[in-house]
Amino acid sequence: MIRPVRHRSAQFKSTARAIPEGGACPWRVRGRAICLMFSALCSPGLAQSDAPLPVPSGQPVHLDDVLLDNNPGELWVRFRFIAPRIGGTVGRITYDVASKDMEHLCQILAVPYVAKHELQPARVVISLSDRPLEFGDVAPDATQFFEAYRLEQSRCIWEGL
């Protein structure tokens, strides 16, 4: 059974360029429910509750949360993923590889999500983090990758941040 989506205001301890003033309002859904819901949207054969989302690199990627952010005056939908194998050291998934994963996640997850919830975002932001982080927390030792897209005719068009 899928739990209803909960709403709350994101609280952050400091600001960074990727976090507009005022924070965001998350639609946080965790665990089995989120994997099941998005897998069912993307492909009926992928509805395994604890399976990572499929990405071109093959790395394990799990959705952490979805934030609806109305600052500064336009809707941005932020999809935050945990990808524990990303990083800049030897043997880790680099940004060049992860950027293809982020584009893929935008297409297979963000496009159906936005359509299902009848949202009209100005931007969709896909972020990968090597560990779970609270929205807005500063963690210099964490690796995070971000990409922004606009949606046009059910396609993700890279915008960059």
Side-chain angles (χ1 to χ4, degrees):
M1 177 177 196
I2 297 175
R3 293 186 299 163
V5 178
R6 297 182 311 176
H7 305 275
R8 68 176 175 83
S9 294
Q11 303 282 324
F12 55 88
K13 297 175 184 165
S14 65
T15 60
R17 197 173 79 94
I19 304 169
E21 286 186 28
C25 178
W27 289 12
R28 184 180 287 277
V29 186
R30 290 193 176 191
R32 294 182 191 163
I34 195 65
C35 289
L36 180 60
M37 180 174 72
F38 283 113
S39 294
L41 280 174
C42 301
S43 170
L46 298 175
Q48 296 177 3
S49 61
D50 58 350
L53 296 168
V55 292
S57 71
Q59 70 172 313
V61 174
H62 299 274
L63 182 63
D64 187 41
D65 62 20
V66 177
L67 300 175
L68 298 184
D69 188 346
N70 283 310
N71 281 321
E74 59 186 11
L75 178 63
W76 285 30
V77 182
R78 299 173 183 271
F79 291 84
R80 301 177 69 223
F81 296 90
I82 305 301
R85 291 183 42 208
I86 64 171
T89 59
V90 175
R92 309 294 284 170
I93 303 289
T94 62
Y95 174 80
D96 292 340
V97 174
S99 65
K100 291 173 180 54
D101 292 346
M102 289 186 281
E103 183 176 352
H104 179 76
L105 290 167
C106 181
Q107 199 60 50
I108 69 160
L109 229 99
V111 169
Y113 184 94
V114 165
K116 177 179 172 143
H117 293 283
E118 298 177 355
L119 300 171
Q120 296 180 348
R123 297 288 179 274
V124 169
V125 177
I126 306 293
S127 65
L128 300 179
S129 178
D130 65 347
R131 65 194 74 165
L133 298 170
E134 285 298 317
F135 182 75
D137 279 357
V138 176
D141 58 331
T143 299
Q144 297 183 58
F145 299 144
F146 299 87
E147 281 296 355
Y149 304 88
R150 77 177 184 278
L151 301 183
E152 219 172 78
Q153 298 177 351
S154 298
R155 299 288 308 157
C156 295
I157 310 298
W158 179 76
E159 287 288 308
L161 279 176

